[in-house]
Amino acid sequence: MAYNLQPLITILEGILDPDQSRWIVAENNPQLQSLLDKATSLQQLLDKSSVTKLDSQIREVAHQAEDIIESHMVHHQMLSGSDCVRFTISTPNLQQVTRDLDSVTEQLEKLVEMEDTKMPQEHDSAVDQVLKPVEVDDKKMVARSSSSVVVGIDADLMQLKERLIGMQTKLEIIPIVGMGGVGKTTLARKVYEDSFIADHFDYRAWATISQDYNIRQILTSLIRFITGQDQRDRHNDELKVMLHKNLFGRRYLIVLDDMWSTKFWDEIKMYFPDNDNGSRIVITTRESDVANYADSSSLQHQMQLLSKSESWNLLRQLVFREEHCPPELQDIGRKIANGCSGLPLAITVIGGLLSMIKRSEDAWEKIGNNVIAAISESDEKCYSILSLSYKHLPNCLKPCFLYMGAYPEDFEIKGSRLVRLWVAEGFVKSSGERSLEEEAEDWLKSLVERNLFMVREYNKYGKPKSYIMHDMLRDLCIRKSGEEKFLYVMNGSKVIFSNPRRVRFDTSKGMDSVKGSTEYMSLTRSVIGIGFGRNELPSGVFSASKLLRVLDVMGMEFAEFPTEIFESVNLRFLGVKCHSRIPKGISRLWNLQTLIGYCRFDAPCELWQLSELRNLKVYGFELLKNEEMNYCVMKKLQMISDTKITKEASTWDGFFKSIPNVKKLAINDEFRSASKAIDLSDLHKLEILRCSYMITSSNCRSQVIFPCKIRKLVLFKCVINSRVLSSLCALHNLEVLRIRGCKFESEVGTCDAEWEAADEDEFRSLQFLYLEWLPLVRWITDETKFPRLRHLCLHGCSNLEEIPSGIGEIPTLQLIELQECSESANASAKRIEEEQQSEYDNYDLKIRIANTPSPGGDHTSKRT
């Protein structure tokens, strides 16, 4: 790959940041600044070119520079232990790294110059070979396709045919989108060759674009399909005019297969006339942004992976054709088909392999034990096809893609965790006012749009929550990671090469392999433990790997916190699960950005000495007395969860003032120790807030002053009264409101079983309302109070008599969901649905009822 120098740049920018107070770098400032300038220039040059010949050389130089600088950082910090350290590094070491960077930059510039000056030949004899698969006459194409095996695309064919011959007369772009090998081209060919479609259009033409497209070859191919003539002697401008002229006034179908570039579309789109006669252009692409660019208003046809039954049907037909599969091979055959995870390309490859081996249980069982390995070993073409997606990634996304290789097959990882790991690794570059996490979230979205990551789970609000990777792409990750020395996955043996940059091991397979490999890990930056168990990580891992940036061992349970971790002063990400309290000393991890874990602290005040901290997600973080906490302003802290104020503490004030830029906050005042109203109004960037026990009965603390930017609010074990509801309605950005386990209170301070909306109450932006385990009996409201509501969920509201009928009148409402509610509430939801359908033809509103209790409150009845 074109190597990503961003981790080195991140390190240098951190040292040279004029606002940082950790390092005094006066002696080495000129050399470090020069190194930063050269690394940045080299990265920019790499981003603009496709040269890969120097990748390994650039990687070695970058790693050498990182090792020299970070080794000195760790050494100085461990010796000093103070807040401000004089950073010195020998000039010869820096000079050597600078010279090496100069050398590779000079070589790269020459290669880029050669690449730019290389002009395409006016007469390219390869044109026939490049386009040979599609440059055949219709009869041959139909004959070839009819002998192929196609499964699971009948519904796709029907949808596409309807769009191709539909009533819309203006020129329509129809994108077919999906990951490599999912069958986009197969589907396009099937519809292209359909006899009814062929008769419908005056002209049909097909061109394969590919990554390194040649506009001249494409124009020549299209014209040949239309006119039957070879026009390769003409210039590009003449070919473009000829294409437009021949298509003008005609109803045509053009297929542009395997399109990667928006630049290509800009070059050619103006030569496809809109004749207002039902002409169509079909685009196949792996990248959703390319499809959007071609026509943002056109509905993308997203190709889906095959189901288990479709996978087995395809494999069976590929291997046995018209014969029957022997009964003894059916179970293992289904297992092999399932191992392909629904990817037609993988099934086709494994089908070809099974066709050539003995039809016996033993022979098939060997393949079934590791289907992906069998595919990789039997057909490099499959690997090459998938590699195109990796090759086309921008440099910044390549390490993010490879990082998923650290996780096992079908492993589901939360997007928030992945984003924080990328930031800790130094992959992500700051962009203006946006945070590193926001930038990384866009990168994650881009990998999904490129069909390299798949969304596994959405949250209740319809946003992606967790992600997985197809097994074939994961195999690509692992192979590329090995080639690039990016990541090593331990499989029960010692590290096979010295100083792997990143190591992943499986905790469920024991720690012997890890213990025996620590001597090879002195320069390792990341250790990721996957699995579950109480295995203790050998202490040698921490003492050997002093340069660690990432230590993610949430899959392990420590009886006692390993204090050797405190020696990894370069650590940026720590994920740990510990039964004991974390002792004093965590403040030594001065570079820590993210701390995730099940743990408590002997000295929580030390966390406020970690000036780089961005995310604190621990369970039971307790605030002490203000004088004990000694709050410092944590400018970079964006997320903090499950914060409790102890009985000894008297106020939240110091805490809130110390986190001015927090975006996500969970606070718990279970001890009810704060003595006055809780004012959050200065938290101007706060968007997500969870309040537990924060609003109690009518006293001076019954008011919480919320910041205006709140988008999502969870109230747990609070008391809801008219003043609270009025303050919630004043939050004009509030989109999600979750009221859980709360009590409603009347004006006179007594418990109330009724929620009646006041005349002035209006949740103007609210889209998701969740009412859970509430004692409500009556709810009185109408559609005007929730004008933009999309999803209403009632869970455990077993006393509620009915849902207000006016809720059904909300024009944006899509779903009412009830779980463990009363029979009368369920019946009212059904009445709303029936009324909307019978009187207003509104079939968009759905009702979902589950775990319905009996009228007497028995919660054991069957799911409906």
Side-chain angles (χ1 to χ4, degrees):
M1 70 175 181
Y3 190 75
N4 190 334
L5 288 158
Q6 190 56 46
L8 173 60
I9 294 170
T10 298
I11 294 166
L12 291 167
E13 286 178 338
I15 297 174
L16 295 169
D17 183 355
D19 294 327
Q20 64 87 22
S21 58
R22 176 65 55 177
W23 304 107
I24 300 172
V25 294
E27 295 178 23
N28 289 118
N29 191 79
Q31 298 99 318
L32 292 171
Q33 186 62 55
S34 175
L35 189 60
L36 173 59
D37 293 341
K38 292 177 185 296
T40 303
S41 297
L42 180 57
Q43 182 65 64
Q44 291 171 348
L45 188 60
L46 286 167
D47 290 341
K48 294 176 182 178
S49 75
S50 57
V51 175
T52 58
K53 291 181 180 179
L54 300 174
D55 283 354
S56 60
Q57 199 174 338
I58 295 170
R59 180 178 64 245
E60 294 303 321
V61 173
H63 284 175
Q64 183 185 1
E66 290 178 28
D67 294 342
I68 291 172
I69 296 170
E70 289 191 305
S71 294
H72 278 75
M73 292 169 72
V74 170
H75 176 71
H76 288 315
Q77 181 62 28
M78 292 184 69
L79 280 180
S80 171
S82 62
D83 293 337
C84 191
V85 182
R86 184 171 294 278
F87 182 88
T88 57
I89 186 170
S90 63
T91 301
N93 285 339
L94 282 178
Q95 287 178 339
Q96 182 58 52
V97 170
T98 303
R99 283 196 295 268
D100 291 341
L101 273 178
D102 284 337
S103 175
V104 293
T105 301
E106 185 178 349
Q107 294 178 61
L108 182 62
E109 286 173 342
K110 290 180 180 178
L111 289 171
V112 170
E113 186 178 350
M114 292 172 60
E115 185 182 62
D116 292 340
T117 55
K118 184 180 178 182
M119 299 298 292
Q121 297 295 318
E122 191 70 23
H123 300 285
D124 193 342
S125 61
V127 63
D128 293 328
Q129 294 300 316
V130 171
L131 297 168
K132 189 174 181 180
V134 294
E135 289 189 6
V136 292
D137 62 52
D138 292 347
K139 292 181 180 179
K140 289 182 180 179
M141 183 175 279
V142 172
R144 182 190 64 212
S145 181
S146 63
S147 64
S148 63
V149 178
V150 178
V151 169
I153 63 171
D154 290 344
D156 297 279
L157 278 171
M158 185 68 68
Q159 291 175 24
L160 283 179
K161 286 167 71 173
E162 287 177 357
R163 291 183 68 177
L164 288 173
I165 61 177
M167 298 300 291
Q168 180 171 303
T169 58
K170 81 178 194 67
L171 175 64
E172 184 180 0
I173 314 297
I174 303 176
I176 304 176
V177 182
M179 68 176 287
V182 79
K184 301 182 297 295
T185 300
T186 300
L187 176 61
R189 278 185 177 157
K190 274 293 181 183
V191 74
Y192 179 90
E193 297 163 7
D194 183 272
S195 58
F196 186 79
I197 297 298
D199 292 339
H200 182 75
F201 292 96
D202 300 325
Y203 288 144
R204 292 176 303 137
W206 181 297
T208 301
I209 312 305
S210 72
Q211 287 184 347
D212 301 318
Y213 69 89
N214 184 311
I215 189 68
R216 178 180 180 73
Q217 293 175 356
I218 293 166
L219 291 168
T220 303
S221 172
L222 291 174
I223 291 171
R224 184 179 300 156
F225 270 98
I226 295 167
T227 67
Q229 299 175 357
D230 188 348
Q231 302 288 347
R232 72 179 73 186
D233 292 333
R234 295 182 180 272
H235 295 293
N236 284 1
D237 290 343
E238 292 179 286
L239 292 172
K240 292 172 181 176
V241 172
M242 184 175 293
L243 176 65
H244 187 274
K245 183 177 180 181
N246 280 280
L247 293 178
F248 189 79
R250 303 282 186 167
R251 181 191 292 161
Y252 60 85
L253 168 63
I254 304 291
V255 177
L256 302 175
D257 184 38
D258 197 26
M259 195 164 91
W260 296 80
S261 171
T262 58
K263 179 183 175 184
F264 165 76
W265 182 247
D266 286 336
E267 264 190 275
I268 202 168
K269 64 181 178 181
M270 67 185 70
Y271 302 103
F272 296 126
D274 184 355
N275 300 314
D276 199 28
N277 61 0
S279 293
R280 302 287 187 261
I281 299 175
V282 174
I283 292 171
T284 74
T285 180
R286 303 185 193 189
E287 306 199 6
S288 296
D289 61 337
V290 171
N292 279 328
Y293 187 84
D295 188 349
S296 59
S297 64
S298 181
L299 179 66
Q300 295 182 17
H301 187 93
Q302 188 73 39
M303 294 291 293
Q304 303 298 321
L305 295 168
L306 298 180
S307 66
K308 290 183 178 181
S309 60
E310 290 169 341
S311 297
W312 167 234
N313 191 20
L314 175 58
L315 182 63
R316 181 177 51 77
Q317 291 186 53
L318 287 167
V319 177
F320 298 102
R321 299 289 174 176
E322 302 301 323
E323 304 175 36
H324 291 289
C325 172
E328 66 272 15
L329 294 181
Q330 290 189 10
D331 287 343
I332 182 60
R334 286 190 171 90
K335 177 183 176 182
I336 293 171
N338 292 343
C340 296
S341 301
L343 187 66
L345 173 64
I347 298 169
T348 302
V349 172
I350 209 73
L353 177 61
L354 292 174
S355 299
M356 296 185 289
I357 66 172
K358 185 178 180 181
R359 294 182 180 179
S360 70
E361 288 184 76
D362 289 342
W364 281 38
E365 195 73 53
K366 290 178 181 178
I367 292 176
N369 289 334
N370 197 334
V371 174
I372 301 302
I375 294 171
S376 300
E377 293 169 5
S378 67
D379 194 342
E380 278 296 314
K381 182 181 178 183
C382 184
Y383 175 70
S384 299
I385 290 172
L386 295 176
S387 292
L388 289 174
S389 292
Y390 175 75
K391 177 184 175 184
H392 194 253
L393 282 174
N395 290 336
C396 62
L397 293 184
K398 288 182 178 179
C400 300
F401 170 77
L402 294 181
Y403 215 80
M404 280 291 274
Y407 301 97
E409 290 182 12
D410 302 320
F411 188 88
E412 184 176 343
I413 184 169
K414 287 187 176 180
S416 57
R417 190 187 192 88
L418 202 53
V419 159
R420 289 163 190 156
L421 284 165
W422 293 347
V423 171
E425 291 279 2
F427 297 156
V428 186
K429 181 180 180 181
S430 178
S431 177
E433 295 298 317
R434 307 185 73 220
S435 70
L436 294 172
E437 286 79 6
E438 288 172 330
E439 194 71 28
E441 285 167 1
D442 280 354
W443 293 6
L444 181 56
K445 181 181 178 182
S446 180
L447 287 166
V448 172
E449 290 175 343
R450 293 167 185 268
N451 290 284
L452 293 173
F453 287 6
M454 294 183 288
V455 179
R456 181 59 176 268
E457 183 183 0
Y458 290 87
N459 64 19
K460 292 181 178 180
Y461 325 115
K463 294 185 178 180
K465 179 180 179 182
S466 61
Y467 301 80
I468 59 170
M469 175 178 277
H470 191 279
D471 292 347
M472 291 298 298
L473 288 172
R474 177 180 171 272
D475 181 65
L476 172 67
C477 267
I478 293 172
R479 292 176 67 172
K480 287 290 184 185
S481 291
E483 293 171 9
E484 302 297 333
K485 298 183 180 179
F486 179 85
L487 167 75
Y488 176 71
V489 178
M490 287 187 181
N491 289 313
S493 59
K494 291 185 179 181
V495 174
I496 56 174
F497 55 86
S498 180
N499 285 316
R501 221 63 184 172
R502 297 166 188 86
V503 172
R504 190 270 279 182
F505 60 88
D506 191 336
T507 61
S508 62
K509 295 182 179 179
M511 296 293 102
D512 290 341
S513 61
V514 182
K515 186 175 182 180
S517 303
T518 54
E519 60 185 292
Y520 302 101
M521 296 169 58
S522 62
L523 299 178
T524 298
R525 295 309 201 276
S526 303
V527 172
I528 300 173
I530 301 296
F532 299 95
R534 294 180 178 268
N535 289 315
E536 295 288 336
L537 238 162
S539 59
V541 171
F542 307 117
S543 58
S545 308
K546 295 286 179 59
L547 302 182
L548 280 182
R549 296 174 189 159
V550 169
L551 178 59
D552 188 358
V553 286
M554 283 291 289
M556 304 179 67
E557 296 182 24
F558 293 93
E560 297 290 332
F561 182 80
T563 55
E564 303 97 319
I565 290 176
F566 294 155
E567 298 178 14
S568 301
V569 296
N570 198 42
L571 209 59
R572 299 177 187 169
F573 183 104
L574 175 59
V576 63
K577 187 183 294 185
C578 183
H579 294 286
S580 71
R581 297 176 77 90
I582 296 181
K584 290 183 178 181
I586 198 167
S587 59
R588 295 169 61 187
L589 303 180
W590 60 273
N591 216 15
L592 197 63
Q593 297 176 351
T594 295
L595 175 58
I596 300 177
Y598 295 86
C599 49
R600 294 177 183 269
F601 303 88
D602 280 342
C605 55
E606 284 195 68
L607 293 175
W608 255 242
Q609 298 175 40
L610 302 175
S611 60
E612 297 298 315
L613 198 62
R614 307 176 69 86
N615 306 285
L616 179 61
K617 189 176 183 180
V618 294
Y619 296 88
F621 172 63
E622 297 176 343
L623 301 184
L624 306 177
K625 294 179 181 179
N626 289 343
E627 58 269 22
E628 292 180 10
M629 284 301 294
N630 189 23
Y631 292 112
C632 301
V633 177
M634 306 287 283
K635 292 183 179 180
K636 296 183 180 180
L637 192 58
Q638 298 184 51
M639 186 274 287
I640 179 169
S641 66
D642 200 29
T643 308
K644 292 184 179 180
I645 187 166
T646 62
K647 291 181 180 179
E648 294 78 16
S650 59
T651 178
W652 291 88
D653 290 352
F655 172 66
F656 293 142
K657 289 177 181 177
S658 71
I659 53 172
N661 298 315
V662 71
K663 294 181 178 179
K664 183 177 180 180
L665 177 64
I667 49 180
N668 184 329
D669 192 14
E670 187 172 357
F671 295 115
R672 296 177 173 84
S673 51
S675 59
K676 60 180 182 179
I678 300 163
D679 188 353
L680 304 173
S681 59
D682 288 336
L683 301 180
H684 299 297
K685 296 186 179 181
L686 186 62
E687 296 182 359
I688 300 174
L689 174 65
R690 175 188 170 96
C691 293
S692 300
Y693 302 96
M694 296 292 291
I695 310 171
T696 58
S697 59
S698 293
N699 57 29
C700 60
R701 290 196 309 106
S702 63
Q703 183 182 13
V704 173
I705 303 173
F706 297 105
C708 60
K709 282 193 175 182
I710 288 285
R711 291 189 301 104
K712 176 183 174 183
L713 176 63
V714 179
L715 299 178
F716 176 66
K717 293 292 184 181
C718 296
V719 173
I720 309 296
N721 55 35
S722 59
R723 282 177 295 171
V724 173
L725 292 170
S726 177
S727 66
L728 297 182
C729 289
L731 301 176
H732 295 164
N733 293 312
L734 187 64
E735 297 175 356
V736 178
L737 175 60
R738 189 174 178 184
I739 304 176
R740 192 168 191 264
C742 296
K743 295 180 180 179
F744 281 73
E745 184 180 82
S746 67
E747 290 294 331
V748 295
T750 59
C751 289
D752 199 352
E754 182 176 277
W755 175 11
E756 181 175 4
D759 292 340
E760 65 275 10
D761 285 354
E762 179 187 347
F763 294 86
R764 63 173 63 178
S765 299
L766 196 68
Q767 299 179 39
F768 302 88
L769 176 61
Y770 295 85
L771 306 177
E772 302 172 298
W773 306 109
L774 302 181
L776 284 176
V777 176
R778 292 173 298 280
W779 181 20
I780 304 171
T781 191
D782 59 45
E783 69 277 10
T784 64
K785 308 304 181 185
F786 305 95
R788 297 184 62 188
L789 193 67
R790 291 167 49 195
H791 184 181
L792 171 64
C793 175
L794 298 119
H795 187 180
C797 299
S798 56
N799 297 324
L800 185 67
E801 294 176 347
E802 65 176 2
I803 299 173
S805 59
I807 292 291
E809 304 295 326
I810 301 172
T812 55
L813 192 63
Q814 300 172 1
L815 174 65
I816 299 177
E817 187 176 6
L818 298 95
Q819 186 172 356
E820 299 186 36
C821 292
S822 66
E823 291 288 359
S824 60
N826 295 338
S828 68
K830 292 176 182 177
R831 285 197 302 271
I832 289 173
E833 181 182 37
E834 291 169 0
E835 180 180 329
Q836 288 296 308
Q837 291 179 358
S838 61
E839 296 187 19
Y840 304 103
D841 289 330
N842 177 13
Y843 291 88
D844 294 330
L845 176 60
K846 307 299 180 185
I847 305 297
R848 188 182 299 157
I849 301 174
N851 285 345
T852 307
S854 66
D858 181 6
H859 288 224
T860 61
S861 60
K862 295 181 181 180
R863 182 183 297 270
T864 60

